[in-house]
Amino acid sequence: LLDVCNANVSVSYNHDPNKTYADLSIRGKSHMQIDLGMLTTSIAKQLGGFGGGHALASGARVPSDRVMDFIKALDSHITQLTK
């Protein structure tokens, strides 16, 4: 997905309409100088969820109605950190 979209970070998620949360998977390219595990943990916690992982591969579980908030916050942090 990263190479297809020419992106440095990708987010995919699964939402079961019978559940109140969504599971997200975050992946980054090897040249990234950002620890996605730490960033994912921080953002998910702020949104009432939890997350974790490694520098280039992380995951989170957040309330279903906060998925786009998570993606926007992740994008904003990465943009700031890569300036």
Side-chain angles (χ1 to χ4, degrees):
L1 188 58
L2 289 170
D3 291 330
V4 171
C5 297
N6 195 28
N8 291 320
V9 176
S10 69
V11 177
S12 60
Y13 67 95
N14 181 31
H15 172 247
D16 180 339
N18 297 317
K19 297 183 180 178
T20 60
Y21 60 84
D23 294 317
L24 297 94
S25 176
I26 300 92
R27 299 292 182 264
K29 285 193 172 177
S30 61
H31 69 275
M32 295 284 297
Q33 298 296 315
I34 299 169
D35 187 327
L36 292 175
M38 291 178 59
L39 187 55
T40 296
T41 299
S42 174
I43 295 170
K45 187 175 180 180
Q46 292 172 19
L47 298 174
F50 58 90
H54 306 280
L56 298 176
S58 62
R61 178 172 281 180
V62 298
S64 299
D65 61 347
R66 304 302 305 268
V67 170
M68 290 311 299
D69 295 330
F70 180 93
I71 294 171
K72 289 176 185 175
L74 183 66
D75 182 55
S76 176
H77 280 85
I78 290 172
T79 299
Q80 289 178 341
L81 293 169
T82 57
K83 282 185 177 180

